[in-house]
Amino acid sequence: MAFVLEKKLKNVMTLGYLMKLDKRVPHSLSHIKKRQNKKIHELMKAAYEIPFYRERFDANGLTPDDFHSSEDLAKFPVTTRADLRLWMQKEYEEHPKMHDRWDVLSTSGSSGVPLKFLQTQRESACVNANWIRVLMFAGYHPFTGKMFSFETSHKHVDAKKGDSWVQKLGILRRRVVPENNCVGEGIRDVINDMNEYAPDLVCFRRNCLVRMALYAKNNGMTIRQPKIYTPVSEMVDDMTRKLLTETFGPGLMDAYGSSETGSCIIQLPGKKLYYICSDTHVVNIYDDEGRLADDGKVIITTLFKKDFPIINYDIGDRATSVTKEGVRYIKSIQGRVNDLVKHESGVESSALFLMKIPNGITGIAQFRFIEDSYHDMRIQLVKDPQNDAHTTEEIEEFFHQKMAELYGEEFRLHFEWMDVIPPDENGKMRCFTCRVS
């Protein structure tokens, strides 16, 4: 009976947690640091009572009293996706009576293998509250603003039911469209629908926004610019940022996170640095030796998850950062650590170097590298329809030059010029794919 009540009260819990969270980015660095330090110690005390983490404390001769700051977390072992997968599976198998009280969620699998993880109703309410306040950071008002999104952004919304009585009163207004509408000529209907609705906030996947921008450019359509738009589920590179701002305007908010951690790194419109949601997360950067650094692996700790904590989670991305009075800000998010180019010698190298190539020349709207074999690299490209600074031949020659600087004569390049690059099966679009087994 208790779990039924928990589920029914999730919206109430969400509102309760929302009231406790920052609605604006705080300016006092001493306040940010002091509050975060307190929450870190509270989290580690809770984690010490969980067998999975208790083993890690004991194996390293640590206790909760060793943790009072984000810097202290560097003493604790890193948690990998494999660690989480084994722990969650064990919890699920050993506690069958709890199944109805837990949400079993799954990541998209964009890192290679999907991860199923558990979440209590309380944690789920925290995640929802955190996402609402992230939008509020950028100026969106959840009760009076209008949102335009795909079903994947708000799974609890049924697009077929239409407005609820609450929405008809002008509260929590949103229009939800199926994501598979945003293909081919269906994009025209999505753009017209969005222009007619005139939302304050647009919340789509990055590759969907890119397709809309390209369609509008190719067909002479104008997109009504929302106050805020946020590309979800996918990283925004410099080239994509330029295309989106040209089409959708200056209201781009880049929100970074994952299904298992929630959103935690936010770049507000017009800002250069990314703010870390310090009341709900710690984001540290480790170098390849596991030491705190300004440039390296993104390591995330969720401060609000006490039932299934995620501590020192290696999410698989790299970033650069700067620290001011003990408070870390992110300068750039560089992409997956496990995007690796495979070489016949058995050596692997980071694909991050490939990602920088398209930013060195104008006239490209989309790109994707596909390594088909040890010596064949397919490069899919979409020409910016409103930028003729370089011909396709000049762009290809530029790629030949940069690839030769990286790999010599190792790869034969195969160019595919496309009207639009389609997303992967999971709905996302990765900019590098290795098909060498």
Side-chain angles (χ1 to χ4, degrees):
M1 188 68 186
F3 72 83
V4 174
L5 185 61
E6 280 182 4
K7 287 191 174 182
K8 289 184 178 296
L9 291 177
K10 186 188 291 187
N11 288 340
V12 176
M13 288 192 289
T14 298
L15 182 59
Y17 287 120
L18 180 60
M19 299 300 290
K20 299 177 182 178
L21 297 177
D22 294 330
K23 315 303 185 301
R24 294 187 178 133
V25 175
H27 296 295
S28 171
L29 298 182
S30 60
H31 166 73
I32 291 173
K33 188 65 176 172
K34 181 178 179 181
R35 180 183 58 182
Q36 189 182 67
N37 288 350
K38 181 175 181 291
K39 291 194 172 192
I40 288 169
H41 184 59
E42 292 172 351
L43 171 70
M44 299 308 272
K45 286 198 296 183
Y48 195 66
E49 304 303 319
I50 298 172
F52 171 76
Y53 283 112
R54 182 65 171 266
E55 290 178 7
R56 296 178 156 228
F57 276 102
D58 294 345
N60 291 274
L62 298 168
T63 73
D65 287 334
D66 292 307
F67 299 93
H68 295 276
S69 69
S70 59
E71 293 82 5
D72 289 340
L73 287 172
K75 307 171 190 174
F76 204 74
V78 166
T79 302
T80 66
R81 294 174 71 87
D83 295 330
L84 281 186
R85 184 177 292 109
L86 291 173
W87 174 37
M88 297 295 177
Q89 183 64 34
K90 183 180 179 182
E91 290 288 330
Y92 192 78
E93 291 174 353
E94 293 182 353
H95 300 91
K97 292 183 179 179
M98 297 294 290
H99 291 182
D100 289 334
R101 300 188 66 175
W102 294 338
D103 288 334
V104 182
L105 306 174
S106 178
T107 65
S108 66
S110 62
S111 61
V113 181
L115 167 67
K116 291 189 181 299
F117 62 98
L118 306 176
Q119 198 162 260
T120 62
Q121 300 305 310
R122 188 196 72 81
E123 291 177 335
S124 181
C126 289
V127 170
N128 292 342
N130 179 55
W131 177 239
I132 293 170
R133 73 77 175 265
V134 163
L135 299 177
M136 293 178 73
F137 277 158
Y140 175 68
H141 197 296
F143 295 105
T144 59
K146 291 197 296 184
M147 178 189 292
F148 193 75
S149 71
F150 282 132
E151 290 171 318
T152 50
S153 299
H154 289 272
K155 296 179 181 179
H156 59 282
V157 177
D158 188 342
K160 298 178 181 179
K161 289 183 179 180
D163 289 345
S164 67
W165 66 269
V166 174
Q167 291 168 321
K168 289 175 181 177
L169 292 174
I171 303 172
L172 297 173
R173 291 173 294 172
R174 64 189 61 165
R175 182 170 294 181
V176 183
V177 296
E179 189 173 49
N180 55 14
N181 284 7
C182 199
V183 293
E185 289 303 310
I187 299 175
R188 178 181 292 273
D189 294 332
V190 173
I191 293 174
N192 286 333
D193 192 17
M194 189 177 77
N195 285 344
E196 180 272 329
Y197 189 59
D200 303 291
L201 169 68
V202 174
C203 184
F204 288 169
R205 292 187 196 269
R206 181 205 64 187
N207 72 79
C208 295
L209 290 173
V210 168
R211 278 180 269 154
M212 292 170 68
L214 289 172
Y215 188 93
K217 283 190 172 190
N218 282 319
N219 293 276
M221 296 183 72
T222 299
I223 292 179
R224 183 166 181 165
Q225 296 182 350
K227 180 179 179 181
I228 312 155
Y229 58 100
T230 179
V232 298
S233 301
E234 300 170 312
M235 284 178 42
V236 179
D237 55 80
D238 291 340
M239 189 179 67
T240 300
R241 186 183 302 276
K242 182 176 182 296
L243 175 66
L244 294 182
T245 53
E246 287 174 354
T247 307
F248 292 92
L252 171 63
M253 182 186 78
D254 193 8
Y256 172 89
S258 68
S259 300
E260 52 271 44
T261 65
S263 292
C264 54
I265 304 175
I266 314 300
Q267 186 184 46
L268 297 177
K271 300 295 184 181
K272 290 186 177 181
L273 294 178
Y274 289 75
Y275 171 71
I276 295 168
C277 297
S278 59
D279 52 349
T280 54
H281 295 81
V282 175
V283 177
N284 278 329
I285 305 295
Y286 290 176
D287 63 19
D288 292 334
E289 281 71 48
R291 299 170 301 198
L292 287 168
D294 289 331
D295 185 350
K297 299 177 182 179
V298 178
I299 307 295
I300 299 177
T301 296
T302 54
L303 297 174
F304 64 92
K305 292 171 74 72
K306 302 288 181 64
D307 305 301
F308 294 105
I310 295 180
I311 302 173
N312 274 10
Y313 181 49
D314 185 350
I315 198 168
D317 285 330
R318 296 185 72 90
T320 63
S321 69
V322 60
T323 302
K324 302 178 180 181
E325 297 179 32
V327 177
R328 189 181 299 273
Y329 293 85
I330 300 301
K331 294 167 62 177
S332 67
I333 302 170
Q334 301 171 329
R336 291 281 176 187
V337 175
N338 61 354
D339 280 341
L340 297 173
V341 178
K342 295 186 178 181
H343 305 277
E344 195 168 22
S345 64
V347 173
E348 297 177 329
S349 60
S350 173
L352 295 179
F353 298 107
L354 289 177
M355 308 304 182
K356 296 178 181 180
I357 293 177
N359 293 327
I361 190 168
T362 59
I364 304 171
Q366 270 187 303
F367 71 91
R368 175 158 59 191
F369 293 89
I370 302 173
E371 185 183 3
D372 288 315
S373 76
Y374 287 126
H375 299 290
D376 292 281
M377 186 73 72
R378 190 155 31 114
I379 304 175
Q380 296 177 334
L381 297 169
V382 174
K383 192 81 165 62
D384 186 336
Q386 294 183 359
N387 189 324
D388 293 324
H390 299 282
T391 65
T392 56
E393 290 78 12
E394 289 172 337
I395 292 173
E396 289 183 9
E397 178 57 33
F398 177 80
F399 273 77
H400 274 291
Q401 176 188 335
K402 293 301 178 181
M403 287 291 290
E405 290 174 6
L406 287 174
Y407 306 112
E409 300 299 318
E410 184 174 355
F411 288 104
R412 294 179 290 266
L413 304 187
H414 308 276
F415 293 93
E416 292 182 5
W417 287 94
M418 312 172 76
D419 293 330
V420 65
I421 298 176
D424 302 325
E425 291 182 3
N426 60 13
K428 295 187 179 184
M429 200 205 86
R430 301 191 75 179
C431 294
F432 172 77
T433 301
C434 181
R435 293 184 175 171
V436 180
S437 60

